[in-house]
Amino acid sequence: MLSIKSLSYHYKPNRNILWNINSDLKPGNIYGLLGLNGEGKTTFLKLIVGMLIPKDGTVEYNGHLSSKRASEYLNDVYFLPDHSKLPDLGIEQFGKLYGAFYSKYDHQQFVDCIKEFNIPVENKLKALSLGQHRKVHLSFALACNSAVLLMDEPTNGLDIPSKAIFRKLLTKYINDDRIFLIATHQIRDVDTLFDHLLIMKNGSLVLDENIYLLSKQFRISKSPMDAELALYTQDDLAGPFYLIKNNLEEESKLDIEFMFNAFTNNPKPIEL
Amino acid sequence: MKNIIQYLKCVFASNKYLLFAIPLIAFVLFGVGLYFLSSPVFDGIINSSSIIKSDEALISTSRLRDINWTVALVIVLPFFYLTIIPINFKKSYDFILPIKTSQKLITYCFIGLIIYLYNLLVVLGLNYIVELFYKQTYWNAIMEAFDRKGHLYLTIEKDSIFYSGKNALQYFITVGIFLMFFPFYLVASLYFKKYSFLISLALILTFMIFGTYLGSKIWTGNSNLISNQTYIFLYKWLIIFIPAVLCYIGFYFFLKEKEV
């Protein structure tokens, strides 16, 4: 389990980017990290991987703190940044050279992912477009088989068919021992994969909940009869939609984008 | 050690151009230097057929000094290639590699040493080529010219161009100087993306001035009267050795806490 306790960070004193974040990320789940621009999603991921050092609080995995940057920790936690510019090497050579540092790296898996993305493995990275660099980096990140994989805007630069391939690969390689944390604005690209939702607002987590439990607690209604009970109302072209408590004792179908809007735009905090 | 070798492979594999760039740049600058700084030596290479016909010209050639300015190529050029190190400081795939900071530092030192020695060997080789050329082309002709002119006891001096390669072997001493200068470059390149070479130069000069100032306080400014050889040796080297060691230690901690 990746344990985040009282995590705070600031670039300038008295201007906190992140403030007192607490969460436990459990294996076997794909976490979606959502937030508006500048809310600190990338900072959050960088703090988890140890590229930034917390001003307060801790991030711990398997007994190792992120701030110590122990090689054991970095072997378990991999970070895919929001842009990929890889070194001037052949694709296979890149995998072999850099994969050698990761104890669970699987080169065949790397090659398989590259092939899934329809990139010839014998190509040089220099000859690839930025989008193709992205695919190679994604493949490498998956093939490292790290216990925690942090992805910042993973679908950035991917064409439409590649987004489907990316989703397929994620579902293929998630297992009971791994945690995937995806920070994204492109909710529609990956929302069907999320097991758990983290929503950031003003540098804090305003939602940290399992999607199944959310769907048991809330439902979205279009019925005017629910207007009075609405926790949040969103006006759409098709009329108003309401977020209400789910009293039906059964799982409802939730729209992640709607939930995001509800938890970030509502003037009053929504109680879970 | 496995991680260090692997990291070395990563850095050099993605900078393979250095294999050709280092000898090529050294060769070009060596040629330019010969032309501007040692024009008689340059002349001796391109006009050998006319020189060999004149005894005066041959005797004058025998007095040509070696090209010791090439030591500047050995010391300065590596710092331009060493930019491959700071590039890695900010690349996420490199930054998050599961290796210890100490292993990274050792790898950087190896990278510096490998580049430095490779460039040194190229410059040394060029010196040997010039020496070989002069020996093959002029040595016998000069000896005959000495005989013809009656210079029975005249010999070719050891600091002449005819011993250029052998004399350049002394350049290996500069490896020590490089290792003392290197940590200043590392610190400067970690914190100042631009002008890191100039800033590292400023850092080392500041330390030297400070050290000299402190040295001037020893024996109330009359330390030159101390004849103890150990003191003389230490005084000369400690002034840079201690700041260099401090700089290595400082770089280790800076790198350990560097945020990207």
Side-chain angles (χ1 to χ4, degrees), chain B residues 48-62:
Chain B
S48 58
S49 53
S50 58
I51 291 172
I52 220 152
K53 289 174 191 160
S54 153
D55 284 351
E56 282 72 24
L58 282 169
I59 289 167
S60 163
T61 300
S62 76

Side-chain angles (χ1 to χ4, degrees), chain A residues 9 46 49 51-53 69 71 74-75 78-79 81 85-89 93 97-98 100-102, chain B residues 2-3 6-7 9-10 13-14 16 92-100 255-260:
Chain A
Y9 189 79
K46 284 185 171 182
V49 76
M51 289 172 81
L52 298 174
I53 296 171
R69 295 173 179 165
S71 48
L74 293 170
N75 186 46
Y78 192 87
F79 172 58
K85 186 79 185 82
L86 301 173
D88 185 10
L89 295 167
Q93 192 187 17
L97 280 173
Y98 282 87
F101 291 101
Y102 296 89
Chain B
K2 189 186 144 214
N3 277 345
Q6 191 61 28
Y7 193 37
K9 279 187 196 169
C10 289
S14 42
K16 270 183 278 193
S92 73
Y93 61 82
D94 189 283
F95 193 90
I96 60 169
L97 281 177
I99 63 174
K100 292 175 183 157
L255 188 63
K256 203 174 167 65
E257 290 170 10
K258 170 84 178 160
E259 294 190 325
V260 175

Side-chain angles (χ1 to χ4, degrees), chain B residues 131-161:
Chain B
E131 176 186 316
L132 197 69
F133 174 83
Y134 267 83
K135 276 187 173 164
Q136 295 274 335
T137 315
Y138 295 115
W139 188 275
N140 291 337
I142 287 171
M143 291 306 154
E144 286 164 14
F146 281 166
D147 283 348
R148 281 195 294 275
K149 289 285 176 183
H151 298 311
L152 299 179
Y153 302 104
L154 210 57
T155 55
I156 294 173
E157 297 294 332
K158 295 283 183 194
D159 61 352
S160 72
I161 192 71

